[in-house]
Amino acid sequence: MATTRKRLGDLLVESGLITEAQLSTALEEKPRDQKLGDSLLQRGYITEQQLIEVLEFQLGIPHVNLYRYPFDPKLFNIVPKEFAKRNSIVPLKAEGDRLFVAMSDPMDYLSVDDLRLSTGFHIETAIASKDDILKTISKYYDDDFLEEFSVEQPEDKQDQADELTDLDSPIVRLVNQVLSSAITQKASDIHIDPQEHQVVIRFRVDGLLKTERYLPKHMQAMLTARIKIMSGLDITESRMPQDGRIKVNIDFRPIDLRVSSLPTVFGEKIVMRILDLSSSLNDLAKLGFSEANLQKFLLEIERPNGIVLISGPTGSGKSSTLYAALNKLNQEAVNIITVEDPVEYQLEGVNQIQVNPAVGLTFANGLRSILRQDPDIVMVGEIRDRETVEIAIRASLTGHLVLSTIHTNDAVASITRLIDMGVEPFLVTASLNAVIAQRLIRRVCRDCGKPMPASNREKEIFAKRHMEIDTIVRGPGCASCNMTGYRGRVAIHEVLIINDEMREAINNHSTPAKLREIATRNGTIFLIDDGLEKVKRGITTTEEVLRVALIE
């Protein structure tokens, strides 16, 4: 008697992990070639660990941890690398006519049937997390080529050129593996650090750097040259900093990389910023805004004119917020023009200009030209100098909405910074609508996070901000979060509205302390308060909030 194959969505609804409405949304909005499980994970409806537990319990399929599994390397010749990556499958062991494999989606019966037909084995499935599978593929399919590196580099220049461009050469495969591993770990940056006797490769994951691997010193020259060729840099120039860009498809996803090389005493240090073009940047609701702050922000960006600034240090998510705002405003009836350095994400229907100081195209010159293009909304990547801010003010006073970023510690400091640039206070108050300060903090891992009593110190911190806390959520660490207790990041915000009372204080040259007092009276939620509220909701920890926001 044939067994009925249950669908994944029905299992998750039956288990109470998702609702029928969430299932319908995921099914309707996911791309045709995306699996339902990936769609649910992307939307944050479930965690990968929850998905594994449901499949393990409901279907009786065992769960396997791949971290220290004794793999048989010969089996990796049976399952091709492309098939393994595309279908998230790794071979575990073979017994007689049975091949045991780990899959992130054991209900993908088409892949199981394809594997059975191509290998001739009867397929037995186990469940493993997608991240574990991709790390395993990256390690066992690709690590063998490192032995092919010879200590002596090819002396013939033509041989060197061939090795740097041949897709099957060890150096090309090494760079591809590093990129693939970084994408799998959701890294935001790759650092290649030359040291005296070795090369260190580090990834920035959830805002913190961690060492990924060490390479022998003799690989440095070829590694640097390969990356410079990919990013269009001059491989003969090693004494000056250079900037470039790489567009590649890694694991079937379009990835954009901003590349920066910098000469150091032990060779060129290379940093690659990863811009995942398939990641969701278009939804303001997913950026971590509280309900109150989101309503204020939406109101300000929908005004017909004025300036809205987003402030924060490098890596605080300002660009993501700007792009999400532009996406919200992007309509047929509106002409949006941006001037950026660099253009990070390309938005359909938005005219984007890349700053090029070599030919005189600066922020100020670009902005001046934009105003002759009949724009409704202007986005300036960053306000760096007096000339740029004066043109932005002029644009806002002549009926344009201007969005931009500024490097300051909080919202009130942005006002002081504009005045320090030489802008008259009356021009600031006439043009500025709002300033949004932003920071990124790590989320508590949803798989291992557990409620526990708040410490006396934490209760004191909350009491200072007129809040109470009894329990907090903290993660002891698990395989999902690499034993850190955190996985993913969320933004905390401070939305400062420039109302009439604030304008009068600015015009009267009031101190920052006075401006903060007015902001408090007008109901501004400061960074520290937004962060502590997220601690109360179990999203993050007090330590994370205090790492990026000061308590007064």
Side-chain angles (χ1 to χ4, degrees), residues 191-194 220 224 227-228 233 237-244 259-272:
H191 288 240
I192 298 174
D193 296 331
Q220 180 179 323
T224 302
I227 293 170
K228 290 173 84 169
L233 303 183
E237 177 57 77
S238 59
R239 299 163 301 171
M240 295 286 291
Q242 296 187 69
D243 294 304
V259 181
S260 170
S261 75
L262 185 73
T264 71
V265 290
F266 296 124
E268 289 178 271
K269 173 179 169 65
I270 291 179
V271 175
M272 293 184 275

Short mmCIF file of all heavy atoms in Angstrom, two decimals, residues 191-194 220 224 227-228 233 237-244 259-272:
data_model
loop_
_atom_site.label_atom_id
_atom_site.label_comp_id
_atom_site.label_asym_id
_atom_site.label_seq_id
_atom_site.Cartn_x
_atom_site.Cartn_y
_atom_site.Cartn_z
N HIS A 191 38.32 39.87 5.00
CA HIS A 191 39.61 40.53 5.19
C HIS A 191 40.73 39.55 4.83
O HIS A 191 40.76 38.42 5.36
CB HIS A 191 39.80 40.96 6.65
CG HIS A 191 38.94 42.12 7.05
ND1 HIS A 191 39.47 43.32 7.50
CD2 HIS A 191 37.59 42.29 7.05
CE1 HIS A 191 38.48 44.15 7.77
NE2 HIS A 191 37.34 43.55 7.51
N ILE A 192 41.62 39.93 3.95
CA ILE A 192 42.81 39.14 3.63
C ILE A 192 44.01 39.91 4.16
O ILE A 192 44.41 40.94 3.60
CB ILE A 192 42.91 38.87 2.12
CG1 ILE A 192 41.67 38.06 1.68
CG2 ILE A 192 44.19 38.13 1.79
CD1 ILE A 192 41.57 37.85 0.20
N ASP A 193 44.53 39.44 5.29
CA ASP A 193 45.57 40.17 6.03
C ASP A 193 46.93 39.52 5.83
O ASP A 193 47.17 38.41 6.32
CB ASP A 193 45.25 40.17 7.53
CG ASP A 193 43.96 40.91 7.84
OD1 ASP A 193 43.64 41.83 7.09
OD2 ASP A 193 43.29 40.56 8.83
N PRO A 194 47.87 40.18 5.14
CA PRO A 194 49.22 39.64 5.01
C PRO A 194 50.00 39.84 6.31
O PRO A 194 50.00 40.94 6.88
CB PRO A 194 49.82 40.46 3.87
CG PRO A 194 49.06 41.74 3.87
CD PRO A 194 47.70 41.46 4.44
N GLN A 220 50.40 34.24 -1.16
CA GLN A 220 49.92 35.63 -1.08
C GLN A 220 49.91 36.34 -2.43
O GLN A 220 48.90 36.97 -2.80
CB GLN A 220 50.78 36.41 -0.09
CG GLN A 220 50.35 37.87 0.08
CD GLN A 220 51.21 38.59 1.08
OE1 GLN A 220 51.61 38.02 2.10
NE2 GLN A 220 51.54 39.84 0.80
N THR A 224 46.46 37.63 -4.18
CA THR A 224 46.25 39.08 -4.40
C THR A 224 46.03 39.37 -5.87
O THR A 224 45.11 40.12 -6.25
CB THR A 224 47.45 39.88 -3.87
OG1 THR A 224 47.63 39.59 -2.48
CG2 THR A 224 47.23 41.36 -4.04
N ILE A 227 42.48 38.27 -7.15
CA ILE A 227 41.41 39.16 -6.72
C ILE A 227 41.48 40.49 -7.48
O ILE A 227 40.44 41.05 -7.87
CB ILE A 227 41.48 39.39 -5.19
CG1 ILE A 227 41.14 38.08 -4.46
CG2 ILE A 227 40.51 40.49 -4.76
CD1 ILE A 227 41.41 38.11 -2.97
N LYS A 228 42.69 40.98 -7.72
CA LYS A 228 42.84 42.26 -8.45
C LYS A 228 42.39 42.10 -9.90
O LYS A 228 41.79 43.03 -10.47
CB LYS A 228 44.29 42.74 -8.36
CG LYS A 228 44.65 43.21 -6.94
CD LYS A 228 46.12 43.54 -6.79
CE LYS A 228 46.43 44.94 -7.25
NZ LYS A 228 47.81 45.34 -6.87
N LEU A 233 41.51 45.76 -11.06
CA LEU A 233 42.57 46.61 -10.53
C LEU A 233 43.88 46.37 -11.29
O LEU A 233 44.05 45.35 -11.96
CB LEU A 233 42.78 46.34 -9.04
CG LEU A 233 41.57 46.51 -8.12
CD1 LEU A 233 41.95 46.27 -6.67
CD2 LEU A 233 40.96 47.90 -8.28
N GLU A 237 50.52 47.54 -9.87
CA GLU A 237 50.62 48.62 -8.89
C GLU A 237 50.36 48.08 -7.49
O GLU A 237 49.25 47.64 -7.18
CB GLU A 237 49.61 49.72 -9.22
CG GLU A 237 49.59 50.88 -8.22
CD GLU A 237 50.94 51.54 -8.07
OE1 GLU A 237 51.32 52.32 -8.95
OE2 GLU A 237 51.62 51.25 -7.06
N SER A 238 51.40 48.08 -6.66
CA SER A 238 51.23 47.56 -5.30
C SER A 238 51.62 48.59 -4.24
O SER A 238 51.65 48.29 -3.05
CB SER A 238 52.08 46.29 -5.10
OG SER A 238 53.45 46.58 -5.35
N ARG A 239 51.93 49.83 -4.70
CA ARG A 239 52.38 50.86 -3.75
C ARG A 239 51.28 51.85 -3.39
O ARG A 239 51.43 52.62 -2.45
CB ARG A 239 53.56 51.62 -4.34
CG ARG A 239 54.79 50.77 -4.64
CD ARG A 239 55.73 51.48 -5.59
NE ARG A 239 55.06 51.80 -6.86
CZ ARG A 239 55.58 52.57 -7.81
NH1 ARG A 239 56.75 53.14 -7.62
NH2 ARG A 239 54.92 52.79 -8.92
N MET A 240 50.17 51.82 -4.13
CA MET A 240 49.08 52.78 -3.92
C MET A 240 47.79 52.04 -3.60
O MET A 240 47.55 50.95 -4.14
CB MET A 240 48.87 53.63 -5.18
CG MET A 240 50.04 54.54 -5.52
SD MET A 240 50.13 55.94 -4.38
CE MET A 240 48.67 56.86 -4.86
N PRO A 241 46.91 52.61 -2.77
CA PRO A 241 45.60 52.00 -2.52
C PRO A 241 44.78 51.99 -3.82
O PRO A 241 44.89 52.90 -4.65
CB PRO A 241 44.96 52.92 -1.48
CG PRO A 241 46.08 53.71 -0.89
CD PRO A 241 47.11 53.84 -1.97
N GLN A 242 43.97 50.97 -4.00
CA GLN A 242 43.09 50.88 -5.17
C GLN A 242 41.71 50.40 -4.74
O GLN A 242 41.57 49.70 -3.74
CB GLN A 242 43.66 49.89 -6.21
CG GLN A 242 44.99 50.28 -6.82
CD GLN A 242 45.37 49.33 -7.94
OE1 GLN A 242 44.76 49.28 -9.01
NE2 GLN A 242 46.41 48.53 -7.70
N ASP A 243 40.71 50.77 -5.53
CA ASP A 243 39.33 50.33 -5.27
C ASP A 243 38.75 49.73 -6.53
O ASP A 243 38.97 50.25 -7.63
CB ASP A 243 38.45 51.51 -4.83
CG ASP A 243 38.89 52.08 -3.49
OD1 ASP A 243 38.94 51.29 -2.53
OD2 ASP A 243 39.18 53.28 -3.41
N GLY A 244 38.01 48.65 -6.38
CA GLY A 244 37.39 48.00 -7.53
C GLY A 244 36.09 47.32 -7.15
O GLY A 244 35.59 47.48 -6.03
N VAL A 259 35.80 46.03 -3.55
CA VAL A 259 37.15 45.58 -3.20
C VAL A 259 38.05 46.78 -2.94
O VAL A 259 38.06 47.74 -3.70
CB VAL A 259 37.74 44.71 -4.35
CG1 VAL A 259 39.14 44.22 -3.98
CG2 VAL A 259 36.82 43.54 -4.66
N SER A 260 38.80 46.70 -1.85
CA SER A 260 39.75 47.76 -1.51
C SER A 260 41.09 47.11 -1.21
O SER A 260 41.17 46.18 -0.41
CB SER A 260 39.26 48.54 -0.29
OG SER A 260 40.27 49.40 0.18
N SER A 261 42.16 47.58 -1.88
CA SER A 261 43.51 47.09 -1.57
C SER A 261 44.31 48.22 -0.94
O SER A 261 44.19 49.38 -1.34
CB SER A 261 44.20 46.57 -2.84
OG SER A 261 44.63 47.64 -3.65
N LEU A 262 45.13 47.86 0.05
CA LEU A 262 45.90 48.85 0.80
C LEU A 262 47.30 48.31 1.06
O LEU A 262 47.45 47.22 1.62
CB LEU A 262 45.20 49.14 2.14
CG LEU A 262 45.79 50.24 3.01
CD1 LEU A 262 45.50 51.61 2.42
CD2 LEU A 262 45.21 50.15 4.42
N PRO A 263 48.36 49.02 0.62
CA PRO A 263 49.72 48.52 0.86
C PRO A 263 50.09 48.55 2.34
O PRO A 263 49.87 49.56 3.00
CB PRO A 263 50.60 49.47 0.04
CG PRO A 263 49.78 50.68 -0.20
CD PRO A 263 48.35 50.28 -0.15
N THR A 264 50.61 47.43 2.86
CA THR A 264 51.11 47.36 4.23
C THR A 264 52.56 46.86 4.17
O THR A 264 53.06 46.51 3.10
CB THR A 264 50.28 46.40 5.11
OG1 THR A 264 50.55 45.04 4.70
CG2 THR A 264 48.78 46.67 4.98
N VAL A 265 53.21 46.80 5.32
CA VAL A 265 54.62 46.42 5.33
C VAL A 265 54.84 44.97 4.89
O VAL A 265 55.92 44.60 4.43
CB VAL A 265 55.26 46.63 6.72
CG1 VAL A 265 55.41 48.10 7.02
CG2 VAL A 265 54.48 45.90 7.80
N PHE A 266 53.80 44.12 5.00
CA PHE A 266 53.93 42.72 4.61
C PHE A 266 53.18 42.40 3.32
O PHE A 266 52.91 41.24 3.02
CB PHE A 266 53.43 41.81 5.73
CG PHE A 266 54.24 41.90 6.99
CD1 PHE A 266 53.64 42.22 8.20
CD2 PHE A 266 55.62 41.70 6.97
CE1 PHE A 266 54.39 42.32 9.36
CE2 PHE A 266 56.38 41.80 8.13
CZ PHE A 266 55.76 42.10 9.33
N GLY A 267 52.84 43.43 2.54
CA GLY A 267 52.11 43.20 1.30
C GLY A 267 50.77 43.90 1.31
O GLY A 267 50.45 44.63 2.25
N GLU A 268 49.98 43.66 0.28
CA GLU A 268 48.70 44.36 0.15
C GLU A 268 47.59 43.67 0.96
O GLU A 268 47.34 42.49 0.79
CB GLU A 268 48.28 44.41 -1.32
CG GLU A 268 49.13 45.35 -2.15
CD GLU A 268 48.72 45.33 -3.61
OE1 GLU A 268 49.26 44.49 -4.35
OE2 GLU A 268 47.86 46.14 -4.00
N LYS A 269 46.97 44.45 1.84
CA LYS A 269 45.78 43.98 2.56
C LYS A 269 44.57 44.23 1.68
O LYS A 269 44.41 45.32 1.12
CB LYS A 269 45.62 44.72 3.89
CG LYS A 269 44.30 44.38 4.61
CD LYS A 269 44.19 45.11 5.93
CE LYS A 269 42.80 45.02 6.55
NZ LYS A 269 42.40 43.67 6.93
N ILE A 270 43.71 43.22 1.56
CA ILE A 270 42.51 43.35 0.73
C ILE A 270 41.28 43.15 1.59
O ILE A 270 41.21 42.22 2.41
CB ILE A 270 42.53 42.33 -0.43
CG1 ILE A 270 43.63 42.70 -1.43
CG2 ILE A 270 41.18 42.26 -1.13
CD1 ILE A 270 43.77 41.76 -2.59
N VAL A 271 40.32 44.06 1.45
CA VAL A 271 39.03 43.92 2.11
C VAL A 271 37.94 43.92 1.04
O VAL A 271 37.93 44.79 0.17
CB VAL A 271 38.78 45.06 3.13
CG1 VAL A 271 37.37 44.95 3.72
CG2 VAL A 271 39.82 45.02 4.24
N MET A 272 37.06 42.93 1.12
CA MET A 272 35.94 42.83 0.18
C MET A 272 34.63 42.96 0.95
O MET A 272 34.34 42.14 1.82
CB MET A 272 35.99 41.49 -0.56
CG MET A 272 37.18 41.36 -1.50
SD MET A 272 37.17 39.83 -2.45
CE MET A 272 37.94 38.72 -1.29
#
